[in-house]
Amino acid sequence: QQLVVACGDGTLAVVNHEKGKQEASVQTSQDGDVVSLALVKDGERLLTGHPNGVIGVWKWGEWEEPVDYIKMHLESVNAMVPLDSDTILTASDEGLVRLLNVHPNKLKAVIGSHAGD
């Protein structure tokens, strides 16, 4: 019954629908905005994609700081799509689409790329 919102200033806001109030607001420890979000591990982990290429791994309900970081991108992680509880697709400004495993963090494959505009 919670909604997590990524704000343009790098803040995550957690809103409880039933109570109609904000439960948490945290400044992410990464430089810049949060540009993408994905829920994995059966809802136990929230991933936050950042312009510096890092993915923050947050334990659901523990909003003080990420429990881990995934550093497999050189540029902004603009989109993340969960395929299953442990696997996501990511798209970055590098023009690559990656297949990643989460905990353990591992690059499975680069499954697509494009060049130019």
Side-chain angles (χ1 to χ4, degrees):
Q1 298 298 323
Q2 293 175 317
L3 172 70
V4 176
V5 180
C7 304
D9 63 357
T11 302
L12 288 179
V14 181
V15 179
N16 186 308
H17 287 272
E18 289 181 339
K19 296 178 182 177
K21 69 176 190 172
Q22 184 172 315
E23 292 188 340
S25 177
V26 61
Q27 182 69 32
T28 63
S29 57
Q30 299 298 317
D31 295 330
D33 303 339
V34 176
V35 294
S36 57
L37 297 170
L39 198 56
V40 296
K41 298 294 185 183
D42 298 320
E44 295 179 13
R45 297 288 186 270
L46 176 72
L47 306 180
T48 55
H50 300 270
N52 63 358
V54 173
I55 298 172
V57 181
W58 300 77
K59 185 173 181 182
W60 191 266
E62 296 181 14
W63 306 114
E64 294 79 33
E65 62 184 56
V67 295
D68 196 8
Y69 296 98
I70 301 172
K71 300 175 183 174
M72 295 186 192
H73 301 80
L74 298 175
E75 297 184 28
S76 184
V77 183
N78 294 330
M80 296 185 285
V81 177
L83 293 180
D84 59 34
S85 185
D86 302 319
T87 312
I88 61 170
L89 289 173
T90 64
S92 72
D93 279 349
E94 301 162 273
L96 301 175
V97 177
R98 291 177 173 89
L99 181 65
L100 301 178
N101 194 80
V102 179
H103 283 170
N105 303 335
K106 181 179 178 182
L107 173 65
K108 289 185 169 185
V110 174
I111 63 168
S113 66
H114 66 88
D117 295 334

